[in-house]
Amino acid sequence: MPKHAHSPTLTKHHKIALAGVATLGAAALAFSAVPSSAETTAAGATQTAAKAAYGTAQVKDVTGKVTDQLALQNVKVEAIAAKTKASAHQLHAAHVKKVHAAHVAHVKQAHAKKLHAAHAKHAAAVKQAAAKRAAQQTASRSAQRPQIQQVAAKTYANNLDGWIHQSLDIMHSKGIPGSYNGLYRNIMRESSGNPNAINNWDINAINGIPSKGLLQVIPPTFATYHVAGTSWNIYDPVANITAACNYAAHRYGSMDNVNSAY
């Protein structure tokens, strides 16, 4: 009988097959033991022994074949079991891989949601800060508006005193120096306070550019030192005073420093 590393495990099917083989062997022995004719006792005994030996050999041969078949079946069963185990391992590995992929996808999705929430929060904070700045700027403009309206609403008398005060306010806003007394003194010397005064006899008149207005300014000087925001009419009292003071500031430092024709 062939030797194997491991004795084959007999299943119920295998046991039934062996029982059948044993039964067949016993039947062959019994059949061989019965004499068919009136032979002598010695001859019958010899024939019976020979048949018994032949039957035993057949049983051994059948048993060996069955054992070999059982061993082959066992090898096939083990191969199927190994293949099944390998398939189970592959299925398990695939399942683990699928679970890992699902976990990674879940983590990525959670991270994306977290980033989206952070961006939304930052955008809301930026928008809130912008709204706050806009509100502060609006409040600042509202606070400044009454002062601007107050300056715009300031009125001046339509006389020499009012003209001088209005001109001084414009001069101070433009950085032009001068005082009420300096303006008043030079106006009275040049025109006696007459805004329509004109000099038709001096060298400027001879040259065709007579001095005009409260501070007797010639047209080229008025045009050169005209102050934005005032009238372009040389006879306008405020425009005339402001342009003359601007010219005096550039040439003499201030109208306060002028004490004669300039």
Side-chain angles (χ1 to χ4, degrees):
M1 182 174 64
K3 293 183 179 179
H4 301 280
H6 300 283
S7 298
T9 302
L10 299 181
T11 63
K12 184 177 180 182
H13 178 73
H14 297 160
K15 291 178 180 179
I16 292 172
L18 287 175
V21 171
T23 302
L24 288 174
L29 288 174
F31 179 79
S32 299
V34 178
S36 60
S37 62
E39 299 176 348
T40 61
T41 304
T46 302
Q47 187 178 6
T48 301
K51 290 182 179 180
Y54 178 75
T56 303
Q58 284 184 325
V59 171
K60 288 182 178 181
D61 184 57
V62 172
T63 303
K65 290 181 179 180
V66 171
T67 302
D68 291 341
Q69 291 178 357
L70 291 176
L72 181 60
Q73 291 294 328
N74 188 55
V75 170
K76 291 182 178 180
V77 169
E78 289 180 352
I80 294 172
K83 187 175 181 180
T84 303
K85 184 176 181 181
S87 299
H89 179 72
Q90 291 176 355
L91 289 174
H92 177 70
H95 177 70
V96 170
K97 186 176 181 180
K98 184 177 180 181
V99 171
H100 177 71
H103 175 70
V104 171
H106 176 72
V107 171
K108 287 183 178 179
Q109 185 178 9
H111 182 65
K113 287 183 179 180
K114 188 175 181 181
L115 285 177
H116 179 72
H119 290 164
K121 185 177 180 181
H122 176 70
V126 171
K127 186 176 181 181
Q128 185 177 4
K132 185 177 181 180
R133 285 195 300 271
Q136 291 175 345
Q137 291 174 356
T138 301
S140 178
R141 287 193 295 269
S142 298
Q144 294 174 358
R145 192 173 295 113
Q147 298 177 0
I148 296 173
Q149 291 177 348
Q150 183 178 2
V151 172
K154 186 177 181 178
T155 58
Y156 303 91
N158 189 25
N159 53 33
L160 182 58
D161 182 72
W163 301 331
I164 293 175
H165 278 101
Q166 185 175 356
S167 181
L168 284 171
D169 286 340
I170 296 171
M171 288 166 57
H172 293 162
S173 69
K174 303 293 185 179
I176 302 172
S179 67
Y180 184 93
N181 291 333
L183 269 63
Y184 182 81
R185 173 169 47 82
N186 281 284
I187 289 172
M188 295 306 295
R189 187 189 68 252
E190 293 291 335
S191 65
S192 299
N194 179 10
N196 296 315
I198 183 172
N199 187 333
N200 289 317
W201 54 266
D202 64 3
I203 188 62
N204 291 322
I206 294 173
N207 292 330
I209 48 172
S211 302
K212 300 177 180 179
L214 289 175
L215 282 172
Q216 292 293 285
V217 184
I218 61 176
T221 300
F222 178 81
T224 300
Y225 293 96
H226 173 265
V227 177
T230 62
S231 172
W232 279 96
N233 182 2
I234 195 171
Y235 289 107
D236 180 85
V238 175
N240 187 279
I241 294 172
T242 307
C245 288
N246 190 26
Y247 164 74
H250 281 80
R251 184 164 184 177
Y252 303 103
S254 172
M255 183 61 76
D256 294 350
N257 299 328
V258 177
N259 295 302
S260 61
Y262 61 105

